[in-house]
């Protein structure tokens, strides 16, 4: 505390110590001539007053902390409120907080004048201090005047003075004063021991011969001049005698209650075993009064006037003997038991302050003999419930009463009773005692309320073990006793709930292991198996009497926890609905589990769809359902229905009815599925559609090597992620098969179902397209004659073609593989073929070279048939071409024709010497496709010294050569033979023309020329003047015509209505077109003297031996020869024509 000065109104003042001025002041002027102090110096002399003021920072901090605390509290409490309550709470908080902030804003504004206010308060305190000093001076003067007036000396005590002077001491001092002031001479140790021994002998004499003691006080010992009585579980006291005379009464020394208080240590401090202080004084006074109740008291030595003397002690009849020890026992017994009851009452009251206040009522009767405690207190409901649903306002009552009765102790034995009877007979004779022994005991009653917590329990089940309802003085712990009683009550209620759930027709909880009672110390609960390995614990809080639902395992999620809280609130409002609540919790947990697994698999799930009740009735009775949409087929759903015992699965097809306002949905086909034994068995499932009540036919094959699994508790509804994946995959497979079947039906292609995994080994390249349900999903088989009808190269396929949907079990988009076995095996060749027996030339084609099986992958199930036909059109052509090329060297006797590379997509072969052609085909389904020919030359051997030129002169004729392979020219094999023969026949022409062209490019003195193809067997050599040209045309029978390009090779037929008509030349078979006709080109001029040039060239060829007689003939403006002598003749004709044109020009 501050010891500084304070004002008269109690305001504390912190006055700074005054500084000693070195220079005295007279009338405000220093003697040294300086002026009076400045304002700042005077202000420092003022006392500083802070009473009633708080720092602004503290106010800001407290307001902000209060706002933050309220926000934190609301964040925890608002989620449990209804929407209206949340809004109302937020609105009230905003209004209240706004007021606080406005007040704080006003305080901040006022704080601007804080310095001025502080200065005023300091001045005020200074003035008040001056005023107080003046008042103190006035009061001091007034007190001095008033106290000095009565100051007088008393008269001298002459008599006492004479005594002191004469005798040297006082003669008239009272003896009482001497005794009270002068201490007596203390006894020696021997005298003390002698006195105590005498008292002990007197005590023993009276107890043995005179005093009647209760049998309960038979345990006694004499020591230290006292007698000690010990009554187990009640008290221990000591008495002594006031004297050795028979009329001398007993005197109380001490008492100790033989009790041990358990539980909280604070209770032990409140109720000590040995009373002290006021309590001990009260007990001593009352015990002494009881002991001297019939003992006569001497009259008082002196009585003040008007004071009545104390009443005399009552007198006993002659046949009645005073028994003070019985009265002592009765009183201390009552005190000990009351002490114990008060301790129990204190413990019960303390429990209320430690969290039991709302759920525990504690009361004690005015006579402090009956303690009643009611537990599981409930507030009256706001809405009155029907009698069947009404819940009592408390769960039960525990009553502890002090009643008369014989306590169970060692004194209740037959021996003790005989000894007590002998004592009464020997000491009393025919007389009777003045008091009777009062035997008291505690009676504990447990009265459970009927239908407590809304659960009806037969009265005979409320049986407690012996010794539970007992007040033990060695361990007074009301909380422990109450908890034992409540523990038993909870056990009875939970056991009854378990019995009702298992034996009242609720099959969902009747299976073994689904509902188990667990007990771990004080914790008791019903462990409810909801589904799979998902459990909840249903327990009854011993403190509140409210049901609590708690998750076990990974169900402890936020949303699920909030749902359990809501269910727990509903159960506590109407506990009789606990059975329905558990069914609802199980349903929600199962749906959550399915949604969780669907989310884990990336599936889209819905708890409801916009179906009418009539549509939902098609699925049959069920408690709940969840719809999983097939990603690849949005109109199809896997429906998982929850029945009383297990899941039911259905695959449905839906349609949206857009004519309704709500855009409702209707169900189409319904396919029922059964996967109950899929994990342990090998199943083949055939699904019947269009029948809601149909069931799949299961073909069951069990392995003898399987060990029977250990039975585990199961409530059904065990849906593993793998099982859900397989069910979903099976549905995707089923829909994929339906889409493929629809395509076959649309095209009128018959098909059959086959087990494609029964005897077929999976190649390494196809190993990834597998599923554990492969044996459960059949494949489709079609005939090549049906599906390839009208397709090119249909003859290359074997009769049976398999169609198998793929990837319906994975997250990828569903695919379809179509497997075609070729009639003959053609090994791939070239770099792209690789060394493996299985090649994959493209993303959509896999070829097994050993089995000659081509697998076509389609990315889109809905168009898989069209994609297969497209791929087949390309692959089949390449297979036929490769096969024919491989056989040409033997069949046609063309040894230089050889296959260079083949990979189902392309074919490259050499048709003559090192001249090659690379063939590919573009996808066109119904017109046979467009072939692409790329001509080149093979690289010579590494040791060759020849220059390598990759140019093939046939490349210029590629647009005309590709048309030979088109379907318009007949079947592919003959067309290929025609193409190869044409390439071989025209190769000398093309090579010689290319050589001439290159020579003219190198020789600048020659006339430039240009060579190009006019048709597949028709080449033109155009001279540089662009007016003259030579045509080299392939004819039948391996003949070649070299003619003037200005003339037509074929006659022209014309009419008035039609233009020129093209004609064709064919060989004897009529298959091969050697050259295409054309009308004369009127833009060209005839070559001067071309017939003479032809004759001259013929003579030179015959003379030189480059031409064989009979194989060459001049025909007007043309030269006809065989293909073997065409190269020198082309060279000769070109040389003379070029010279002639140069001469003419």
């Amino acid at each position: 505390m501050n010891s500084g000065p304070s004002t008269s109104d109690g305001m504390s003042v912190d006055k700074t110590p005054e500084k000693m001025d070195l220079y005295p002041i007279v009338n405000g002027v220093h003697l040294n001539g300086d002026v009076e102090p400045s304002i700042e110096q005077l202000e420092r002399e003022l006392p500083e007053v802070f009473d009633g003021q708080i720092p602004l920072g503290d106010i800001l901090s407290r307001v902000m902390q209060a706002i933050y605390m309220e926000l934190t509290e609301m964040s925890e409490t608002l989620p449990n409120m209804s929407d209206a309550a949340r809004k109302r709470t937020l609105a009230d908080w905003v209004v209240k907080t706004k007021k606080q902030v406005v007040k704080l804003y006003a305080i901040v504004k006022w704080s601007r004048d804080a310095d001025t206010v502080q200065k005023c308060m300091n001045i005020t305190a200074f003035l008040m201090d001056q005023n107080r000093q003046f008042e103190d001076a006035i009061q001091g003067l007034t007190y001095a005047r008033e106290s000095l007036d009565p100051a007088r000396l008393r008269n001298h005590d002459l008599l006492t003075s004479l005594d002191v002077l004469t005798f040297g001491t006082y003669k008239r001092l009272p003896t009482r004063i001497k005794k009270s002031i002068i201490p007596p001479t203390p006894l020696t140790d021997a005298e003390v021991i002698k006195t105590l021994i005498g008292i002990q002998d007197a005590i023993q004499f009276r107890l043995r011969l005179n005093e009647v003691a209760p049998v309960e006080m038979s345990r006694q010992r004499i020591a230290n001049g006292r007698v000690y009585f010990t009554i187990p579980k009640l008290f221990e006291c000591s008495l002594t005698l006031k004297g050795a005379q028979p009329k001398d009464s007993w005197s109380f020394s001490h008492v100790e209650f033989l009790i041990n208080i358990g539980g909280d240590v604070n209770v032990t401090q409140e109720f000590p075993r040995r009373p002290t202080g006021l309590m001990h004084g009260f007990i001593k006074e009352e015990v002494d009064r009881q002991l001297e109740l019939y003992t006569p008291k001497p009259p008082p030595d002196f009585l003040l006037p008007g004071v009545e003397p104390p009443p005399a002690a009552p007198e006993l009849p002659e046949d009645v003997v005073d028994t003070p020890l019985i009265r002592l026992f009765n009183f201390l017994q009552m005190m000990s038991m009351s002490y114990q009851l008060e301790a129990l009452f204190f413990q019960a009251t303390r429990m209320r302050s430690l969290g039991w206040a709302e759920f525990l009522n504690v009361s004690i009767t005015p006579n402090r003999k009956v303690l009643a405690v009611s537990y599981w207190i409930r507030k009256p409901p706001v809405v009155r419930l029907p009698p069947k649903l009404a819940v009592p306002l408390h769960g039960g009552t525990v009553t502890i009463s002090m009643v008369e009765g014989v306590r169970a102790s060692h004194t209740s034995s037959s021996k003790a009773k005989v000894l007590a009877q002998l004592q009464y007979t020997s000491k009393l004779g025919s007389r009777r005692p003045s008091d009777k022994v009062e035997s008291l005991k505690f009676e504990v009653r447990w009265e459970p309320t009927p239908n407590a917590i809304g659960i009806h329990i037969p009265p005979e089940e409320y049986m407690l073990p012996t010794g539970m309802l007992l007040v033990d003085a060695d361990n007074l712990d009301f909380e422990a006793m109450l908890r034992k009683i409540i523990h038993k009550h909870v056990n009875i209620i939970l056991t009854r709930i378990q019995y009702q759930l298992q034996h009242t027709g609720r099959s969902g909880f009747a299976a073994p292991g689904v509902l188990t009672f667990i007990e771990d110390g004080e914790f008791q609960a019903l462990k409810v198996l909801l589904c799979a390995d998902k459990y909840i614990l249903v327990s009854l809080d011993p403190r509140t009497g409210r049901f609590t639902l708690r998750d076990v395992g990974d169900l402890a999620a936020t949303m699920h926890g909030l749902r359990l809280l809501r269910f727990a609130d509903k159960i506590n409002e109407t506990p009789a609905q606990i059975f329905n609540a558990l069914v609802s919790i199980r349903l929600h947990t199962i749906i959550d589990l399915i949604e969780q697994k669907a989310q884990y698999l990336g599936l889209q799930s819905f708890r409801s769809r916009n179906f009418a009740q009539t549509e939902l009735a098609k699925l049959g009775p069920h408690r709940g359902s969840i719809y999983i949409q097939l990603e690849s087929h949005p109109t199809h759903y896997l429906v998982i229905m929850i029945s009383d015992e297990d899941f039911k699965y259905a695959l449905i097809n839906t349609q949206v009815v857009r004519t309704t306002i709500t855009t409702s949905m209707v169900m189409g086909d319904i396919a029922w599925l059964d996967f109950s034994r899929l994990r342990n068995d090998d199943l083949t499932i055939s699904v019947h559609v269009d029948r809601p009540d149909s069931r799949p036919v299961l073909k069951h094959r069990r392995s003898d090597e399987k060990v029977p699994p250990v039975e585990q508790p199961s409530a059904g509804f065990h849906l593993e992620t793998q099982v859900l994946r397989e069910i979903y995959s099976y549905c995707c497979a089923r829909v994929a098969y339906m889409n493929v079947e629809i395509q076959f039906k649309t095209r009128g292609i018959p098909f059959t179902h086959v087990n494609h995994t029964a005897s077929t080994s999976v190649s390494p390249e196809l190993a990834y397209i597998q599923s554990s349900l492969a044996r459960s999903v059949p494949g489709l088989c079609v005939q090549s004659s049906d599906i390839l009808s009208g397709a090119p190269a249909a003859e290359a396929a074997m009769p049976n073609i398999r169609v198998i949907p793929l990837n319906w079990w994975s997250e990828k988009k569903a695919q379809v593989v179509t497997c075609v076995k070729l009639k003959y095996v053609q090994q791939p060749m070239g770099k792209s073929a690789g060394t493996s027996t299985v090649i994959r030339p493209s993303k959509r084609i896999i070829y097994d070279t050993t089995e000659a099986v081509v697998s076509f992958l389609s990315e889109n199930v809905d168009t898989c048939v069209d994609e297969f036909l497209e791929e087949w059109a390309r692959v089949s052509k390449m297979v036929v071409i490769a096969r024919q090329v491989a056989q040409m060297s033997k069949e046609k006797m063309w040894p230089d024709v050889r296959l260079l590379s083949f990979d189902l997509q392309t074919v490259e072969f050499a048709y003559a010497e090192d001249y090659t052609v690379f063939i590919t085909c573009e996808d066109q389904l119904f017109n046979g496709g467009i072939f692409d020919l790329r001509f080149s030359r093979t690289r010579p051997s590494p040791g060759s010294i020849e220059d390598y030129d990759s140019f093939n002169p046939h490349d210029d004729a590629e647009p005309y050569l590709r048309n030979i392979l088109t379907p318009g020219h007949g079947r592919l094999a003959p067309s290929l033979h025609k193409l190869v023969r044409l390439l071989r026949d025209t190769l000398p022409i093309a090579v010689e023309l290319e050589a001439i062209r290159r020579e003219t490019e190198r020789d600048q003195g020659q006339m430039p020329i240009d060579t190009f193809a006019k048709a597949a067997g028709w080449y033109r050599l155009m001279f540089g003047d662009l007016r003259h040209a030579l045509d080299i045309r392939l004819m039948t029978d391996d003949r070649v015509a070299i003619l003037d390009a200005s003339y037509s090779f074929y006659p022209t037929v014309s009419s008035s209505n039609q233009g020129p008509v093209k004609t064709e030349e064919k060989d004897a078979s009529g298959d091969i077109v050697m050259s295409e006709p054309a009308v004369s080109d009127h833009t060209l001029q005839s070559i001067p003297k071309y017939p003479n040039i032809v004759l001259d060239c013929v003579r030179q060829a015959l003379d030189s031996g480059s031409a064989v007689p009979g194989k060459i003939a001049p025909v007007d403006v043309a030269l006809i020869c065989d293909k073997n002598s065409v190269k020198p003749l082309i060279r000769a004709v070109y040389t003379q024509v070029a010279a002639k044109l140069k001469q003419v020009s």
Side-chain angles (χ1 to χ4, degrees), residues 216 306 360 454 487 642 731 823 1044:
E216 290 81 1
L360 199 68
H487 182 84
I642 304 167
C731 293
K823 289 184 177 179
D1044 187 353

Side-chain angles (χ1 to χ4, degrees), residues 152-363:
R152 298 289 187 271
L153 292 175
R154 69 181 182 87
N155 296 329
H156 296 285
D157 189 2
L158 299 177
L159 295 178
T160 303
S161 299
L162 293 173
D163 289 340
V164 171
L165 290 174
T166 303
F167 303 103
T169 183
Y170 294 99
K171 293 295 184 180
R172 294 173 178 80
L173 191 63
T175 306
R176 184 184 297 272
I177 296 177
K178 291 181 180 181
K179 291 181 179 181
S180 61
I181 295 177
I182 300 173
T185 302
L187 299 175
T188 62
D189 293 343
E191 293 175 341
V192 171
I193 294 174
K194 181 180 179 181
T195 303
L196 291 178
I197 292 175
I199 293 176
Q200 290 176 179
D201 292 340
I203 292 173
Q204 187 174 9
F205 179 82
R206 291 187 62 169
L207 289 177
R208 295 289 178 86
L209 298 178
N210 299 329
E211 294 294 342
V212 178
V215 68
E216 290 81 1
M217 298 175 68
S218 58
R219 288 187 180 180
Q220 53 187 246
R221 63 185 176 87
I222 300 174
N224 300 326
R226 302 178 187 177
V227 58
Y228 293 87
F229 297 101
T230 301
I231 297 88
K233 297 182 183 294
L234 284 179
F235 60 88
E236 180 187 67
C237 66
S238 63
L239 301 177
T240 187
L241 286 174
K242 292 182 179 181
Q245 300 299 324
K247 298 297 183 180
D248 291 335
S249 62
W250 294 92
S251 177
F252 175 79
S253 294
H254 94 286
V255 67
E256 180 180 356
F257 298 116
L258 301 181
I259 61 174
N260 291 315
I261 298 178
D264 196 353
V265 180
N266 295 328
V267 183
T268 306
Q269 297 175 355
E270 293 291 335
F271 294 87
R273 289 167 58 99
R274 186 186 291 268
T276 59
L278 294 176
M279 186 176 181
H280 180 268
F282 165 75
I283 295 176
K284 179 175 176 55
E285 181 182 354
E286 184 63 25
V287 171
D288 288 340
R289 191 185 68 82
Q290 293 290 335
L291 293 174
E292 299 175 355
L293 184 61
Y294 298 107
T295 302
K297 298 179 177 61
D301 296 338
F302 175 77
L303 287 176
L304 294 175
V307 177
E308 296 182 358
E315 295 182 0
L316 293 174
E318 293 182 358
D319 60 343
V320 177
V321 178
D322 185 16
T323 55
L325 295 183
I326 294 179
R327 292 194 298 272
L328 171 70
F329 171 77
N330 292 338
F331 176 74
L332 291 181
Q333 176 187 232
M334 184 270 298
M335 285 296 298
S336 177
M337 298 190 69
S338 298
Y339 202 63
Q340 297 180 43
L341 191 63
E342 291 294 335
L344 296 174
F345 175 68
F346 182 84
Q347 289 178 335
T349 307
R350 187 170 179 81
M351 287 179 63
R352 286 177 49 84
S353 63
L354 296 178
W356 292 67
E358 298 181 8
F359 316 104
L360 199 68
N361 279 345
V362 180
S363 62

Side-chain angles (χ1 to χ4, degrees), residues 127-147:
L127 295 177
M128 294 178 66
D129 186 54
Q130 293 292 327
N131 186 40
R132 182 186 58 76
Q133 292 178 8
F134 289 135
E135 291 180 353
D136 290 346
I138 295 172
Q139 291 178 1
L141 295 175
T142 304
Y143 175 75
R145 181 181 63 83
E146 293 178 352
S147 59

Side-chain angles (χ1 to χ4, degrees), residues 648-952:
K648 293 192 300 183
Y649 307 96
L651 174 63
I652 64 172
N653 181 21
T654 62
Q655 296 179 354
V656 178
V657 182
R658 302 189 181 278
T659 56
T660 59
I661 299 177
T662 57
T663 313
S664 60
M665 303 171 67
V666 296
M667 297 184 190
D669 296 336
I670 302 177
W672 295 92
L673 314 175
D674 186 0
F675 272 67
S676 59
R677 292 175 293 175
L678 181 61
R679 296 177 58 190
N680 299 324
D681 302 317
D682 186 10
L683 304 179
T684 300
I685 303 181
S686 302
V687 180
H688 305 280
V689 298
D690 296 330
R691 293 177 57 191
D693 58 343
S694 62
R695 287 291 183 272
V697 178
L698 304 180
K699 298 179 181 180
H700 176 212
R701 297 189 300 272
R702 183 178 297 275
S703 174
D704 296 336
E705 299 179 356
K706 293 183 178 179
V707 179
V710 180
E711 293 187 2
Q712 298 291 338
S714 175
F717 308 105
H718 189 72
L719 182 63
E720 294 183 351
T721 305
Q722 182 63 24
V723 173
L724 179 59
R725 185 197 301 272
E726 292 179 350
I727 296 175
Y728 178 84
S729 300
Y730 180 83
C731 293
C732 293
R734 182 58 190 164
V735 177
Y737 273 91
M738 291 172 59
N739 291 341
V740 176
E741 292 172 2
I742 290 173
Q743 296 178 59
F744 287 155
K745 292 177 181 178
T746 303
R747 290 171 171 78
I749 301 174
F751 59 88
T752 57
H753 292 87
V754 295
N755 186 1
H756 59 89
T757 60
S759 60
T760 304
S761 60
V762 182
S763 62
E765 291 290 331
L766 296 176
Y768 74 98
I769 48 175
Q770 278 293 348
S771 170
S772 58
L773 290 178
R775 295 184 179 274
S776 301
V777 180
L780 298 176
C781 181
V782 295
Q783 297 298 312
S784 60
S785 58
D786 297 327
I787 192 172
L788 298 179
S789 177
E795 68 278 2
M798 295 293 282
N800 294 329
I801 296 178
R802 289 179 300 170
V803 182
I804 308 170
L806 302 175
N807 281 344
W808 39 263
W809 59 84
S810 66
E811 298 178 356
K812 300 178 182 179
K813 188 177 181 181
Q815 299 174 338
V816 176
V817 61
T818 305
C819 300
V820 181
K821 185 175 180 61
L822 303 179
K823 289 184 177 179
Y824 43 80
V825 178
Q826 178 60 51
Q827 295 294 336
M829 302 177 61
K831 296 181 179 180
S832 60
T835 59
S836 175
T837 59
V838 178
I839 65 171
R840 191 168 187 175
S842 68
K843 182 180 179 182
R844 297 164 61 176
I845 298 176
I846 301 173
Y847 182 41
D848 186 349
T849 58
T850 58
E851 299 291 338
V853 176
V854 184
S855 301
F856 299 88
L857 282 174
S858 177
E859 300 289 341
N860 191 347
V861 178
D862 297 331
T863 60
C864 64
V865 177
D866 292 339
E867 292 181 6
F868 161 70
L869 293 176
E870 285 186 14
E871 292 294 334
W872 171 256
R874 180 190 301 122
V875 171
S876 61
K877 294 186 183 79
M878 297 299 105
V879 171
V880 171
I881 291 174
R883 180 66 175 175
Q884 294 299 321
V885 170
Q887 296 175 353
M888 279 184 185
S889 60
K890 295 181 180 180
E891 293 180 356
K892 299 292 185 179
M893 303 301 294
W894 293 338
D896 52 352
V897 176
R898 62 189 185 277
L899 184 64
L900 300 179
S901 68
F902 164 63
D903 60 1
L904 297 182
Q905 297 287 326
T906 62
V907 175
E908 184 179 10
F909 63 91
Y911 54 87
E913 300 176 359
D914 60 346
Y915 293 91
T916 64
V917 59
F918 187 83
I919 303 177
T920 60
C921 181
E922 296 181 1
D923 297 336
Q924 289 191 7
L925 185 58
F926 298 106
N927 58 6
I930 299 177
F931 288 90
D932 181 23
L933 308 181
R934 285 180 288 171
F935 294 91
S936 64
R937 298 179 66 182
T938 59
R939 185 178 295 275
S941 59
S944 177
I945 60 175
E946 298 180 2
D947 295 336
Y948 170 66
D949 185 7
S950 63
F951 178 74
N952 188 334

